[in-house]
């Protein structure tokens, strides 16, 4: 594998982190703007929701494909291409008066979302020594968390206080800044030792990879299945007003950032143990969220812990698939994105089923069911490729 770190650019990981923030910001930021989008384009709110759905479907379908297709080209040029597509799509979304054109402008960048994000993970891992790889990836994950935590309220605030047009300009501006930073501060990163597409696809023959994929799907199902309904849970069970709920969600987001940093340190020390032990405290916290849902202070403490463990789990998930696909990192990271998005959709649907049949408090039951399946698959995956998962005495990313 080529060593991106040979460039010596100290700006590399921070630019990647900001880039991932811009990409996630563009994807998730419209969530808080759906009523305004509906009003602007004279459609219903459910129809406006397609601006979110079509993006998610694009990521799920293209996750493992487009990163592999672009894995043979200079990484700097590919990142500039992806960022350029995101900038253009935001400008089109800003100027169009057609809802159909808006949906197209949302669908096209979704194709390039996995390209940039998966490449960011790969570059971060190869920009430092093997021992520091999990920490570098964890820093990039901060961009993912910030995109969801800060992007949604920021875009919603701009749209509400100024206009929908300026909110779209905000997306374009952030990606424009990253485009310029990439152009002027990151050196060319040509690929050496290219693998053919067939060689990359051969990683699909590994049983350990499929165990890891299953673990990621069910882990994300557990975490984001419950998180999707957290606002309603805080309103209906805890009895919080929306003004306080937004503060609680911000606390969750800040805790998620802490979890990312914690994951980088723990995975660098003993990845196998970290990955195997995370489901237990996550199950305990989910149970506490159900039991203590009526009590404000304990609930806030549980949400804080949930945020930390969510950040840790996301890093664990990426690490498992990356460890199973060291010879095809872009393809592996793309597969991670598809698995994560598929798990989110599955978990949200399952928890929604529990809610419709038993009530909002039982959304936790759906999450725990997913977590139980994830735990079994995590044990299988880490046992199957234990030699790829480092401890204090073994190197990170060692090939079989």
């Amino acid at each position: 594998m080529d060593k991106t770190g040979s460039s010596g650019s100290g700006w590399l990981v921070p630019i990647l982190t900001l880039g991932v923030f811009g990409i996630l910001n563009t994807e998730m930021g419209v969530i808080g703007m759906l009523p305004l989008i509906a009003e602007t384009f004279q459609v219903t709110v459910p129809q406006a929701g397609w601006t979110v759905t079509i993006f998610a479907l694009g990521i799920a379908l293209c996750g493992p494909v487009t990163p592999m297709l672009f894995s043979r080209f200079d990484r700097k040029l590919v990142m500039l291409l992806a960022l350029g597509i995101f900038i253009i799509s935001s400008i089109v979304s800003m100027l169009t008066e057609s809802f159909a054109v808006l949906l197209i402008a949302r669908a096209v960048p979704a194709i390039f979302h996995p390209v940039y994000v998966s490449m960011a993970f790969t570059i971060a891992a190869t920009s430092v020594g093997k021992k520091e790889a999990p920490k570098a990836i964890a820093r990039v994950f901060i961009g993912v968390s910030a995109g969801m935590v800060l992007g949604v309220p920021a875009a919603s605030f701009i749209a509400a206080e100024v206009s929908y047009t300026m909110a779209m300009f905000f997306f374009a501006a952030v990606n424009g800044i990253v485009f310029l930073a990439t152009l002027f501060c990151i050196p060319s990163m040509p690929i050496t030792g290219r693998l053919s597409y067939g060689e990359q696809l051969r990683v699909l023959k590994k049983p350990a990879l499929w165990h890891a994929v299953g673990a990621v799907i069910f882990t994300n199902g557990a975490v984001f299945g419950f998180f999707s309904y957290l606002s309603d849970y805080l309103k209906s069970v805890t009895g919080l007003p929306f003004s306080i709920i937004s503060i609680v969600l911000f606390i969750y987001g800040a805790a998620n950032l802490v979890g990312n940093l914690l994951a980088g340190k723990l995975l660098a020390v003993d990845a196998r143990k970290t990955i195997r032990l995370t489901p237990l405290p996550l199950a305990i916290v989910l149970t506490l969220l159900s039991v203590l849902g009526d009590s404000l202070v304990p609930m806030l403490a549980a949400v804080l812990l949930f945020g930390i463990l969510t950040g840790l789990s996301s890093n664990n998930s990426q690490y498992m698939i990356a460890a199973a696909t060291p010879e095809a990192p872009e393809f592996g990271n793309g597969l991670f994105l598809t698995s994560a998005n598929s798990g989110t959709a599955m978990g949200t649907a399952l928890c929604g089923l529990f809610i419709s049949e038993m009530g909002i408090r039982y959304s936790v039951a759906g999450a725990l069911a997913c977590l139980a399946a994830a735990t079994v698959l995590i044990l299988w995956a880490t046992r199957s490729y234990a030699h790829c998962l480092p401890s204090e005495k073994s190197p990170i990313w060692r090939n079989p």
Side-chain angles (χ1 to χ4, degrees), residues 30-348:
V30 298
I31 290 176
M33 300 164 49
L34 294 183
L36 186 57
I37 291 174
E39 180 182 334
T40 301
F41 291 91
Q42 296 297 298
V43 296
T44 65
V45 172
Q47 286 174 323
W50 273 99
T51 58
V52 178
T53 303
I54 199 167
F55 209 113
L57 288 173
I59 296 171
L61 292 173
C62 297
V65 179
T66 50
M68 180 181 67
L69 293 178
F70 285 94
S71 64
R72 305 179 70 180
F73 301 97
D74 186 298
R75 285 168 174 167
K76 177 179 178 176
L77 295 179
V78 174
M79 288 193 295
L80 289 173
L81 172 64
L83 290 166
I85 294 294
F86 268 77
I87 294 168
I88 293 170
S89 70
S90 295
I91 293 174
V92 171
S93 300
M94 179 176 68
L95 299 177
T96 186
E97 296 180 356
S98 167
F99 186 66
V101 173
L102 175 64
L103 290 180
I104 294 172
R106 294 288 294 170
V108 173
I111 298 171
F112 290 86
H113 174 291
V115 176
Y116 187 93
V117 176
S118 65
M119 194 163 286
F121 289 143
T122 301
I123 294 171
T126 57
S127 68
V128 295
K130 293 181 178 181
K131 188 69 175 177
E132 298 298 312
K135 294 180 182 179
I137 293 174
R139 294 189 190 104
V140 174
F141 256 109
I142 290 176
V144 176
S145 300
M148 294 186 290
V149 175
L150 301 178
V152 174
S156 179
F157 176 80
I158 294 171
E161 296 298 323
V162 186
S163 67
Y164 157 82
T165 300
M166 289 306 297
M168 290 297 170
F169 177 76
F170 169 61
F171 299 153
V174 173
N175 288 310
I177 292 171
V178 180
F179 183 94
L180 293 175
T182 302
L183 181 64
F184 293 111
C185 300
I186 293 181
S188 176
M189 292 182 286
I191 302 300
T192 58
R194 296 186 181 97
L195 291 177
S196 69
Y197 296 139
E199 288 173 318
Q200 294 185 66
L201 288 172
R202 274 199 280 274
V203 302
L204 295 175
K205 295 180 179 180
K206 295 182 176 182
L209 173 60
W210 291 107
H211 293 154
V213 166
V216 172
I217 290 173
F218 282 105
T219 298
N220 258 49
V223 169
F224 291 100
F226 175 75
F227 178 71
S228 298
Y229 301 100
L230 181 57
S231 294
D232 190 30
Y233 195 93
L234 292 169
K235 177 180 177 293
S236 302
V237 178
T238 313
L240 298 181
F242 284 112
S243 58
I244 302 299
I245 289 174
S246 62
I247 296 175
V248 175
L249 293 178
F250 181 80
I251 292 172
Y252 165 86
N256 196 273
L257 299 179
V258 173
N260 287 324
L261 295 175
L262 180 63
K265 295 179 179 180
L266 293 177
L267 290 170
V269 173
D270 195 326
R272 188 184 186 197
K273 182 181 294 184
T274 299
I275 294 169
R276 284 189 164 191
L277 293 182
T278 300
L280 178 59
L282 187 55
I284 293 172
V285 169
L286 282 168
T287 303
L288 290 176
L289 287 167
S290 177
V291 174
L292 303 174
D294 301 302
S295 305
L296 176 58
V297 175
M299 184 65 178
L300 291 178
V303 168
L304 180 67
L305 292 173
F306 182 60
I308 294 173
L309 289 169
T310 299
L312 180 58
S313 295
S314 295
N315 281 265
N316 288 352
S317 293
Q318 187 277 337
Y319 194 105
M320 276 193 294
I321 291 184
T325 58
E327 63 271 60
E330 276 89 3
F331 180 68
N333 284 321
L335 197 59
F336 159 69
L337 293 173
T338 292
S339 303
N341 279 272
S342 299
T344 297
M346 180 272 294
T348 301

